[in-house]
Amino acid sequence: MLRLSLLLLLLPYSTYSVLLGWVESPGYPMGYSPYASMNWSRCAPRGHTLSIRLIHLDLEETQNCENDAVKVFSNGSLVAVLCGKKEYKELQKTVNPPLLSSPGGCLTLLFHSDYSNTKRHTGFRGFYTVQDFDECQDDPNNECTQFCHNFIGGYHCSCRHGYYLAKNKHTCTVSCTEDLSGLKKGVISSPSWPGTYAENANCQYTLSVEEHLQLELHFSETFDVEQNNDSQCIDELTIETHPGTLGPFCGNKPPPSPLLTHSHHIQIRFMSDGFGSNKGFSLHFKTRGKVCRPVISNSIMTPQKPDYHRGQTVKVTCNVGYVANSGLLTQYETTCQSSGTWGPSYPCEIVDCGLPLIGDNSILQLVDSADQKTKYNDQIQFYCTSKYYKLEGNDTYTCNASGEWVSVDGKEGMPKCTEVCGMPEVDSSSSGRILGGKNAALGEIPWQLLIKEPKRGGATLINDQWAVTAAHVITGFEESTLKLFGGLVDGMSSSASVIYSEKIIIHPGYANNEEINFNNDIALIKFKSRVNLGPNLLPICLPESNRGLVENEQGTVSGWGATIENKRLKQSSRFLQYVHIPVMSLSSCRDTPTTSSNKKMIFTDNMFCAGETGKDSCPGDSGGPFVLPMLSSDEGPHYLIGIVSWGLPCKDRSYKGWYTKVENYIDWIQRTIEAEETQ
């Protein structure tokens, strides 16, 4: 009590009213009432702690203090739950010690009572005080590396003689940063050499001489910089030069002497942690003339030397697969300059072939690489986008030393994906016929296209962007408005693929004299965009230019033209029809009919005829395909041999029609398509 009174006398009223006082339950000491409660909270200033010392505790005793209780929180965390009756000594020994806040923290006290008590309880009373927190003694994380001094509300650090406080005001270090620029010789050593070097050292020594000179370092044999058991540096010495950083160095083995820096300006850095008893290092420095080193990587210098003097010229030859000066050179001459550099100097960089140009419907995949590596000796692999295309050429290519992609067998040119042609996925097992025939199944003739306007006719898909038809079907029609329909057998289907024309190219030899002359009756149609190939839309194969025709060879002709069942022969079929007919003899083909104007139709070597009694193409089939082998044959693929061209009206002819012989136009077709693709 005397100590408390003395403290009260020493503190002004305005101060101790904040720093200390009593806290007690409602109604103390007469006893608290049912449903009583209180919420008390105080906070300590910075560098101080707040504590509560209970001197009296008399509350209802219940299991887990469920009824009447006082709870104490430190910075929101529960530190004590109290009830029952405890003597003063027990309070001092077990209850009061944890009732303490952290430095600058707060204490909160909550009290509540329930509705009934079997006897009167006086409650509790305690004394709270704020006292200085001794960081130097009680806080192991005060961060002072040497001396710690406590004062009311905080602490400060100090250092031994020869050290000074770093900017963080906690770490003691030594002054070991020195600029020695201009000196051509001298000595540098770790702090306190040859004694134990200082902890927390961060030394930087700067050396700078004339540009044509280089600095040469000689280390003493005694070298002792701390490292761990795995030979990794704990403390370290590094030397920063213009070509690069040397080190870090540590352990008991000094760097090689003399150490040529190849630089006229260097910085020597030494750093240590807060522990250890190692000696450090010592070196003396001097200068010598600069030399050039064979530093151009991925190359060979001729003649080969460990270093070169000013004025010496060498030939730099880049390694295979590397080039210099943005790919313009594989070798060049360079001269050693007084500054220790080469001039001219071009780094030898690895050849980059870049991504190759690939055609449509091809996909480029890099072999064994998650990244797109296109450098020397990297490989790429090609494959096509779907089963309706096949890869022509090798599938694997390598980037060579000349910056070109070459196939594994050394062949030139890139592969390309071409359409799988003449191979329908639907088997043809029935013998339909255009003149009185049956309907074709969907996908049975996937290359057949329908033209509805200006004339009803057919066309044949030869790749995913081109079709071929008879010239007389589309003569005089505006190419930009021509529409074709594919992937269908029902001419009125709403699910057909609509293909828009971009260009119509009629054979230059077509005379447009349909009354007597259908020579060169062939035209190409280019689409605005590539069609999506599928089981119902596939191209036909083009024949070899010298295939030839065999008499009585069976082929298949198809179209949406007139049928005998229509009764009115001018009415076209709604559904796609096809029929198998034989190729007729050359003499039979020359026997051409006479027109209504008494003129003889002209037969040329660009035509052939085919048909038999009751089987033939009719009006509306013009431009459609005649294919070999016939569809019911197990042989494949199928080739476009002819284009339905001309003949008498079906009611006037009993067995044959004339067809454009496609094999005579293979060169024209290929040249025309290639010319369009290169534009």
Side-chain angles (χ1 to χ4, degrees), residues 120 205 334 345 382 388 401 418 421 424 544 586 633 635 650:
R120 184 179 69 86
Y205 306 95
T334 183
S345 178
F382 290 93
Y388 302 110
T418 58
C421 64
E544 299 291 335
L586 189 61
S633 171
E635 298 179 13
C650 289

Side-chain angles (χ1 to χ4, degrees), residues 418-670:
T418 58
E419 300 83 348
V420 175
C421 64
M423 300 295 290
E425 295 185 0
V426 176
D427 292 333
S428 177
S429 57
S430 63
S431 180
R433 59 194 183 279
I434 301 175
L435 195 58
K438 297 179 181 179
N439 299 336
L442 185 64
E444 196 172 6
I445 312 176
W447 45 79
Q448 178 84 51
L449 303 178
L450 172 62
I451 300 175
K452 296 182 179 181
E453 295 176 349
K455 298 177 184 178
R456 190 173 183 87
T460 307
L461 190 70
I462 57 174
N463 62 38
D464 60 9
Q465 200 172 11
W466 290 86
V468 65
T469 187
H472 76 270
V473 173
I474 55 176
T475 299
F477 191 64
E478 293 184 13
E479 54 195 12
S480 61
T481 58
L482 177 64
K483 288 193 299 185
L484 301 93
F485 301 87
L488 77 164
V489 292
D490 182 354
M492 299 181 65
S493 172
S494 59
S495 60
S497 297
V498 182
I499 306 170
Y500 295 92
S501 167
E502 179 183 282
K503 193 171 188 178
I504 295 173
I505 303 174
I506 295 175
H507 192 279
Y510 178 65
N512 194 19
N513 186 359
E514 298 179 10
E515 185 178 359
I516 61 171
N517 187 0
F518 282 84
N519 192 33
N520 300 311
D521 189 14
I522 185 171
L524 287 169
I525 304 172
K526 182 181 181 181
F527 309 147
K528 284 187 177 180
S529 59
R530 297 182 184 274
V531 299
N532 294 322
L533 300 183
N536 302 325
L537 194 60
L538 289 172
I540 189 71
C541 300
L542 293 175
E544 299 291 335
S545 58
N546 58 353
R547 179 189 183 280
L549 292 171
V550 179
E551 185 178 345
N552 294 323
E553 189 175 8
Q554 292 283 328
T556 301
V557 63
S558 55
W560 281 272
T563 63
I564 196 170
E565 283 82 0
N566 291 130
K567 304 304 180 184
R568 297 171 58 200
L569 294 179
K570 292 184 179 180
Q571 180 178 344
S572 299
S573 170
R574 172 177 174 176
F575 297 97
L576 178 63
Q577 303 275 308
Y578 72 92
V579 68
H580 306 313
I581 55 175
V583 175
M584 302 186 73
S585 67
L586 189 61
S587 59
S588 176
C589 293
R590 289 196 178 100
D591 184 13
T592 60
T594 302
T595 67
S596 58
S597 59
N598 243 356
K599 293 181 180 180
K600 191 77 170 176
M601 297 292 290
I602 298 174
F603 175 79
T604 71
D605 289 339
N606 294 322
M607 308 173 188
F608 69 91
C609 61
E612 63 182 16
T613 302
K615 298 178 180 180
D616 196 7
S617 56
C618 283
D621 297 321
S622 292
F626 179 91
V627 302
L628 287 175
M630 65 181 185
L631 291 182
S632 60
S633 171
D634 293 334
E635 298 179 13
H638 301 282
Y639 293 88
L640 179 64
I641 301 301
I643 299 171
V644 178
S645 181
W646 60 278
L648 290 175
C650 289
K651 65 180 181 178
D652 298 331
R653 54 180 160 133
S654 58
Y655 63 90
K656 67 180 175 180
W658 280 262
Y659 299 82
T660 302
K661 189 188 297 183
V662 175
E663 68 178 70
N664 289 4
Y665 299 94
I666 298 301
D667 289 343
W668 174 75
I669 292 172
Q670 291 175 344

Side-chain angles (χ1 to χ4, degrees), residues 271-540:
M271 299 182 67
S272 66
D273 64 0
F275 306 95
S277 57
N278 300 76
K279 290 183 176 296
F281 71 93
S282 178
L283 64 88
H284 72 269
F285 63 89
K286 61 181 182 179
T287 60
R288 66 187 304 186
K290 275 187 177 179
V291 295
C292 295
R293 295 182 297 165
V295 294
I296 300 175
S297 59
N298 305 310
S299 68
I300 296 176
M301 285 187 165
T302 306
Q304 296 186 38
K305 294 181 179 181
D307 52 46
Y308 303 83
H309 296 285
R310 182 178 60 180
Q312 288 185 319
T313 298
V314 298
K315 180 186 291 185
V316 178
T317 303
C318 295
N319 295 342
V320 175
Y322 290 81
V323 289
N325 195 19
S326 301
L328 299 176
L329 303 172
T330 57
Q331 62 178 218
Y332 63 94
E333 289 188 346
T334 183
T335 302
C336 180
Q337 308 297 312
S338 61
S339 59
T341 58
W342 293 100
S345 178
Y346 308 116
C348 290
E349 300 174 333
I350 192 167
V351 168
D352 189 348
C353 290
L355 289 175
L357 295 175
I358 58 175
D360 294 326
N361 307 310
S362 300
I363 288 181
L364 173 67
Q365 182 182 20
L366 300 172
V367 178
D368 298 330
S369 176
D371 302 321
Q372 289 193 339
K373 295 182 178 178
T374 58
K375 306 294 180 63
Y376 174 61
N377 277 338
D378 285 337
Q379 284 191 330
I380 54 174
Q381 195 168 50
F382 290 93
Y383 63 91
C384 297
T385 56
S386 75
K387 66 178 182 178
Y388 302 110
Y389 295 87
K390 61 183 178 180
L391 191 69
E392 291 188 355
N394 290 285
D395 63 349
T396 303
Y397 281 67
T398 303
C399 178
N400 69 8
S402 299
E404 299 174 346
W405 291 105
V406 294
S407 63
V408 290
D409 57 7
K411 292 183 179 179
E412 296 182 357
M414 303 304 293
K416 62 179 180 178
C417 288
T418 58
E419 300 83 348
V420 175
C421 64
M423 300 295 290
E425 295 185 0
V426 176
D427 292 333
S428 177
S429 57
S430 63
S431 180
R433 59 194 183 279
I434 301 175
L435 195 58
K438 297 179 181 179
N439 299 336
L442 185 64
E444 196 172 6
I445 312 176
W447 45 79
Q448 178 84 51
L449 303 178
L450 172 62
I451 300 175
K452 296 182 179 181
E453 295 176 349
K455 298 177 184 178
R456 190 173 183 87
T460 307
L461 190 70
I462 57 174
N463 62 38
D464 60 9
Q465 200 172 11
W466 290 86
V468 65
T469 187
H472 76 270
V473 173
I474 55 176
T475 299
F477 191 64
E478 293 184 13
E479 54 195 12
S480 61
T481 58
L482 177 64
K483 288 193 299 185
L484 301 93
F485 301 87
L488 77 164
V489 292
D490 182 354
M492 299 181 65
S493 172
S494 59
S495 60
S497 297
V498 182
I499 306 170
Y500 295 92
S501 167
E502 179 183 282
K503 193 171 188 178
I504 295 173
I505 303 174
I506 295 175
H507 192 279
Y510 178 65
N512 194 19
N513 186 359
E514 298 179 10
E515 185 178 359
I516 61 171
N517 187 0
F518 282 84
N519 192 33
N520 300 311
D521 189 14
I522 185 171
L524 287 169
I525 304 172
K526 182 181 181 181
F527 309 147
K528 284 187 177 180
S529 59
R530 297 182 184 274
V531 299
N532 294 322
L533 300 183
N536 302 325
L537 194 60
L538 289 172
I540 189 71

Side-chain angles (χ1 to χ4, degrees), residues 54-70:
L54 294 177
I55 62 173
H56 181 82
L57 181 67
D58 179 18
L59 305 177
E60 181 185 5
E61 181 78 45
T62 56
Q63 185 177 4
N64 297 325
C65 300
E66 294 176 349
N67 294 345
D68 302 346
V70 59

Side-chain angles (χ1 to χ4, degrees), residues 25-37:
S25 57
Y28 181 86
M30 303 307 296
Y32 55 86
S33 62
Y35 299 111
S37 65

